[in-house]
Amino acid sequence: MSISRDSFHSRIGFVLSAAGSAIGLGNIWGFPTNAANNGGGAFLFVYLIVTLLLALPALFAEIYIGNQAQKNPVSALGEACAPRMPRVGRAVGKLGLCGAVMMLSFYTIVAGWMLAHALSAITQLTGLTELSAWLASDSTVRNVIFTPIFILLGAAIIHQGVHAGIEKWSARLMPILLAMLIGLIVYILQQEGAGEGLAVYLIPDFNQVTDPKLVISAMGQAFFSLSIGVGGMMVYGSYMQKGKDLGKLVISIGALDTLIAFLAGLLIIPALFVAQHAGHEIFNNDQLIGEGQLIFQILPALFNSMGTVGLIVAAGFFSLLSIAALTSTISSTEVPVSYLVEEKSLARGKATWLISSIVLCCSMLLVAFFDVLFGFVIRVLTTIFQPLSCLFYFFVVGWIWNRGNKLTDKSALDNNIYLKLWGNYLRFVCPVLLTIVFINVAFIA
């Protein structure tokens, strides 16, 4: 007996949900950090180029497989690889489930930090200075409290289903995220020192464009910022009705994702120079001090020095990051949940809480052995697992999948020159580009 699948009810709902999946801490902090460390405007220029050349095709391949199959990633890859190697397809799909849990295990910890820092600013505004200091401190107890809170927030949305949960909340959270981001940009750009940061960010030095380190960094950021390689986009694609113009939808998702990354740079890079103007040391040998940790060190100090207004800005800033983290964790949670619902016939509620419990156990394991496991898990996922998964998607779309795949249908390709060019690009060019990214990011960078 077939199970009636939930689905997105509108194109805009799908775009906002998929963009919410892609837009996360990597966009709002990772992108500006990479830009600041790699030439500002030059990095932005290269990033935009490699997004078009590699990241959007990879996003298309993942969404396309899910949309054509109308099934969860395990079943979709198994079907696409039939009849020659269905077991391989299903095995890669199951690895994707593990990858999603891996991502959630560390992402929910970091998201909990964002939530704690937002509350730290709010409690300081209300005079609860001791509580505020504890919320801003780095402690195991804080991780043990706030990681489960964030997991519960994501589970509460997933529990409601695709339309009533994911689509509805993405349609609410994404406009709030955009409005908050623009509001913070307007405020920061009025501060002394912001103009210098703006110039560094927007005016490229084309002498740096060919720097191998910059190009590798931009390629890696463009690839990873779209949240591809763990099946989240595939399962979202499966919830969209077949026959839609996926090309336009993918461009819309990529444009929104890139816009948020660009705006994040417009906020954070000028904010760093505002902090520098205020006497905070930001760079050491042209590299950001602490890089990713800078967000929890320099910016809170900057906000505190601004008085009451600064605390309000801090609350807004970290709330913004919490929303970005939440929209990303939703899609990763949906990957294993969809598998349990469709293949193991579990009720959505049971599947959601089972996966959330597994994620909680994994997260607590990382908290307990933080120094050993945290960085290791992130590196394995982002430099090995995700690029290899996407490389497999390109091989599936271009070489393995025949039945029902218009990109390998000779008659369809002969009748449409643009489809033929696109199919050949995915088939020949993208695997080469992605292999270069993988080798450089995993073994050289």
Side-chain angles (χ1 to χ4, degrees):
M1 184 177 69
S2 63
I3 299 173
S4 177
R5 299 182 88 239
D6 199 353
S7 64
F8 293 114
H9 286 200
S10 66
R11 291 167 63 93
I12 187 65
F14 169 73
V15 170
L16 287 175
S17 299
S21 170
I23 295 164
L25 302 179
N27 294 69
I28 296 181
W29 182 244
F31 174 82
T33 301
N34 273 322
N37 278 334
N38 293 281
F43 177 87
L44 176 63
F45 177 77
V46 175
Y47 173 84
L48 293 174
I49 292 174
V50 297
T51 294
L52 290 172
L53 291 178
L54 180 61
L56 286 182
L59 177 64
F60 175 88
E62 183 167 336
I63 291 178
Y64 177 64
I65 293 170
N67 185 252
Q68 290 298 107
Q70 296 284 292
K71 294 175 181 177
N72 67 81
V74 176
S75 299
L77 287 171
E79 183 177 291
C81 292
R84 286 180 287 177
M85 44 193 297
R87 289 185 178 179
V88 173
R90 289 183 62 83
V92 173
K94 288 179 180 178
L95 283 174
L97 307 185
C98 298
V101 172
M102 282 176 65
M103 195 282 281
L104 288 164
S105 68
F106 70 80
Y107 209 87
T108 51
I109 295 172
V110 179
W113 298 346
M114 303 300 175
L115 199 56
H117 275 271
L119 292 175
S120 175
I122 293 169
T123 51
Q124 190 167 341
L125 279 169
T126 57
L128 301 172
T129 53
E130 288 187 12
L131 178 58
S132 174
W134 178 78
L135 288 166
S137 67
D138 183 15
S139 71
T140 300
V141 174
R142 190 191 67 173
N143 290 341
V144 170
I145 292 173
F146 278 88
T147 301
I149 289 174
F150 205 88
I151 291 172
L152 286 172
L153 285 174
I157 293 173
I158 291 290
H159 182 274
Q160 298 174 59
V162 178
H163 172 61
I166 298 171
E167 183 173 4
K168 183 175 74 174
W169 280 98
S170 295
R172 291 174 177 176
L173 293 172
M174 288 303 296
I176 293 172
L177 185 150
L178 188 58
M180 290 177 67
L181 189 53
I182 292 172
L184 288 168
I185 289 169
V186 170
Y187 177 78
I188 287 294
L189 290 183
Q190 295 179 58
Q191 308 308 306
E192 291 187 28
E196 186 182 351
L198 202 60
V200 167
Y201 182 50
L202 296 181
I203 302 174
D205 176 1
F206 288 103
N207 291 324
Q208 298 184 56
V209 165
T210 54
D211 180 357
K213 180 177 179 294
L214 184 151
V215 174
I216 291 166
S217 178
M219 291 180 80
Q221 179 66 38
F223 175 70
F224 297 124
S225 72
L226 280 168
S227 189
I228 42 187
V230 295
M233 290 301 188
M234 194 179 297
V235 75
Y236 275 15
S238 76
Y239 293 138
M240 190 66 186
Q241 184 182 350
K242 288 176 69 173
K244 301 293 183 183
D245 189 339
L246 287 187
K248 289 182 179 178
L249 292 174
V250 167
I251 290 172
S252 298
I253 296 163
L256 189 52
D257 178 78
T258 303
L259 172 65
I260 296 295
F262 171 76
L263 291 176
L266 210 55
L267 167 66
I268 290 174
I269 293 179
L272 293 177
F273 282 85
V274 170
Q276 188 177 55
H277 187 272
H280 300 286
E281 190 176 358
I282 302 299
F283 293 99
N284 182 21
N285 295 325
D286 296 324
Q287 292 293 299
L288 287 175
I289 296 173
E291 296 193 1
Q293 286 297 316
L294 194 69
I295 191 173
F296 306 113
Q297 298 169 7
I298 300 300
L299 291 184
L302 169 65
F303 295 143
N304 285 336
S305 69
M306 294 178 178
T308 302
V309 173
L311 292 175
I312 295 171
V313 172
F317 176 72
F318 285 107
S319 295
L320 167 73
L321 288 169
S322 298
I323 291 172
L326 182 59
T327 57
S328 291
T329 55
I330 289 170
S331 67
S332 294
T333 307
E334 181 63 19
V335 176
V337 167
S338 67
Y339 170 75
L340 293 178
V341 169
E342 293 178 18
E343 295 223 353
K344 303 302 179 184
S345 301
L346 261 66
R348 172 167 280 273
K350 288 183 179 179
T352 300
W353 297 113
L354 174 59
I355 294 301
S356 298
S357 298
I358 293 172
V359 170
L360 178 60
C361 292
C362 293
S363 296
M364 291 301 101
L365 187 64
L366 293 191
V367 169
F369 301 97
F370 189 87
D371 292 338
V372 176
L373 292 180
F374 189 77
F376 173 76
V377 170
I378 293 175
R379 179 169 177 80
V380 168
L381 182 71
T382 59
T383 64
I384 298 174
F385 188 93
Q386 284 183 286
L388 288 182
S389 292
C390 268
L391 188 59
F392 183 75
Y393 299 160
F394 282 134
F395 280 121
V396 168
V397 169
W399 298 92
I400 300 170
W401 177 19
N402 291 317
R403 185 182 301 171
N405 181 12
K406 62 183 179 182
L407 294 174
T408 57
D409 186 331
K410 190 175 184 306
S411 60
L413 296 179
D414 289 341
N415 292 325
N416 189 328
I417 185 63
Y418 296 107
L419 185 64
K420 188 172 185 177
L421 289 171
W422 179 237
N424 286 334
Y425 185 77
L426 293 174
R427 185 183 179 105
F428 296 106
V429 180
C430 287
V432 174
L433 288 177
L434 189 48
T435 300
I436 293 170
V437 173
F438 172 65
I439 291 172
N440 281 281
V441 172
F443 300 108
I444 299 176

